[in-house]
Amino acid sequence: MSTQIITKRVSVPELRGRKSQEKIVGLTAHSCNIARVIDDYVDFILVGDSTAMVAYGHTNTLSITVDQLAAHGAAVVNATVRACVVVDMPFGSYQESPELAFRNAAKIISISGASAVKIEGGAVLATTVKFLVDRGIPVVAHVGLMPQYLNTLGGFRAQGLDEASAQRIIEDALAHEAAGAFVLVLEGIGEPLARRITGMVSIPTIGIGASPACDGQILVSEDVLGLSGSEVPRFVKQYLNGEALVRAAVEQYSVDVKNGAFPEKHHCFGFKAVK
Ligand code: KIV
């Protein structure tokens, strides 16, 4: 008799219901192997438009496409059984109209199998959030520092530093909550503002560079694992020096190959368990 372990994926309503409870843990992933490993420890995985930077080496997030993120989303969904998978809607795929946003979000969801999409934008996009939610597409709204607005902002810098700008971010957050977003990502804002917004909205807030006052945190996996090169945002705590480990391993591999130090059974094809 074969035994089968059935694991249930964290659902959108479950994440939505985690307001003010145990903190929600999020990380990004864009490929199956990292996704498979982190799946045991996180509540949700974001296939972020930061894939443009960490997988393709671009200097910002603007150049990734719907097709690329849908394909990376499928890799992450296929490799995971537990975490709720959310895929970013890339720049240009939703700002023009709610209808365009729906077509692209539906494409992302149907190709990837993800549970939800994320969009960046202020209150002006609340109509789009409602349009998607009313048609069966759960939405995470991302406010504060919005990297897709890089050219308008003139750089990646903290937001909400004066009362007028803090007030605008609060209005953005409230508009998205009213439109039906199930989670709010708050990026690049200070603790007092993160605390204010978290206390005002009934949906969980997930911070990135927005202090522990949020209901959870999302970071880019490569930053946490020391695989992003030299430029890592100041608020990131690095848990592993992945680059040093990979360098040491590949250096040893190179030495072994040059010395002919192959495993004894190198001629026997097959696989061995590595766990
Ligand atoms: O693309 C991304 O990685 C993001 C962050 C919120 C993690 O949007």
Side-chain angles (χ1 to χ4, degrees):
M1 191 182 80
S2 72
T3 49
Q4 210 187 350
I5 299 169
I6 311 281
T7 314
K8 203 169 117 346
R9 207 178 269 286
V10 176
S11 69
V12 163
E14 275 163 1
L15 267 191
R16 163 81 180 74
R18 288 274 297 274
K19 176 78 185 168
S20 306
Q21 308 208 354
E22 193 185 24
K23 298 269 185 195
I24 298 171
V25 183
L27 275 176
T28 66
H30 56 75
S31 66
C32 56
N33 284 318
I34 288 282
R36 178 179 52 77
V37 174
I38 67 177
D39 190 37
D40 285 339
Y41 310 99
V42 300
D43 299 304
F44 77 103
I45 298 178
L46 173 68
V47 184
D49 56 3
S50 57
T51 297
M53 302 169 79
V54 294
Y56 291 96
H58 294 296
T59 54
N60 60 51
T61 60
L62 301 180
S63 51
I64 198 101
T65 65
V66 166
D67 288 333
Q68 284 174 306
L69 280 184
H72 283 284
V76 169
V77 171
N78 291 342
T80 55
V81 291
R82 238 196 100 255
C84 182
V85 179
V86 179
V87 179
D88 254 341
M89 295 203 65
F91 179 66
S93 69
Y94 59 93
Q95 291 89 344
E96 188 182 324
S97 67
E99 289 79 5
L100 178 71
F102 182 80
R103 275 195 297 280
N104 284 322
K107 188 173 182 186
I108 287 172
I109 296 286
S110 64
I111 292 175
S112 68
S115 303
V117 296
K118 174 165 83 60
I119 68 168
E120 290 177 19
V124 71
L125 282 164
T127 319
T128 297
V129 171
K130 182 164 169 33
F131 195 87
L132 298 187
V133 173
D134 285 351
R135 287 159 182 77
I137 299 183
V139 178
V140 172
H142 179 152
V143 302
L145 170 57
M146 298 175 286
Q148 290 186 15
Y149 294 71
L150 169 74
N151 291 319
T152 318
L153 297 172
F156 296 119
R157 44 177 73 101
Q159 300 295 302
L161 298 178
D162 55 65
E163 187 50 34
S165 124
Q167 204 49 51
R168 185 184 39 74
I169 297 170
I170 290 172
E171 278 157 25
D172 293 344
L174 293 174
H176 288 313
E177 179 195 21
F182 74 98
V183 158
L184 262 182
V185 167
L186 304 178
E187 179 163 358
I189 62 172
E191 176 149 6
L193 180 56
R195 193 177 298 286
R196 256 166 100 185
I197 296 175
T198 301
M200 284 170 118
V201 295
S202 61
I203 54 177
T205 58
I206 306 291
I208 169 161
S211 87
C214 301
D215 295 304
Q217 179 172 253
I218 172 87
L219 288 176
V220 174
S221 286
E222 281 76 0
D223 292 344
V224 169
L225 301 176
L227 291 168
S228 297
S230 53
E231 298 237 325
V232 175
R234 266 193 305 237
F235 55 80
V236 171
K237 177 171 170 188
Q238 194 177 298
Y239 289 81
L240 181 76
N241 190 343
E243 177 158 339
L245 292 177
V246 172
R247 281 183 183 280
V250 177
E251 189 180 9
Q252 186 58 52
Y253 171 72
S254 160
V255 169
D256 284 355
V257 172
K258 284 175 186 157
N259 291 336
F262 293 86
E264 252 171 51
K265 291 186 179 162
H266 63 270
H267 56 281
C268 299
F269 199 75
F271 294 97
K272 60 180 181 184
V274 288
K275 271 194 190 168

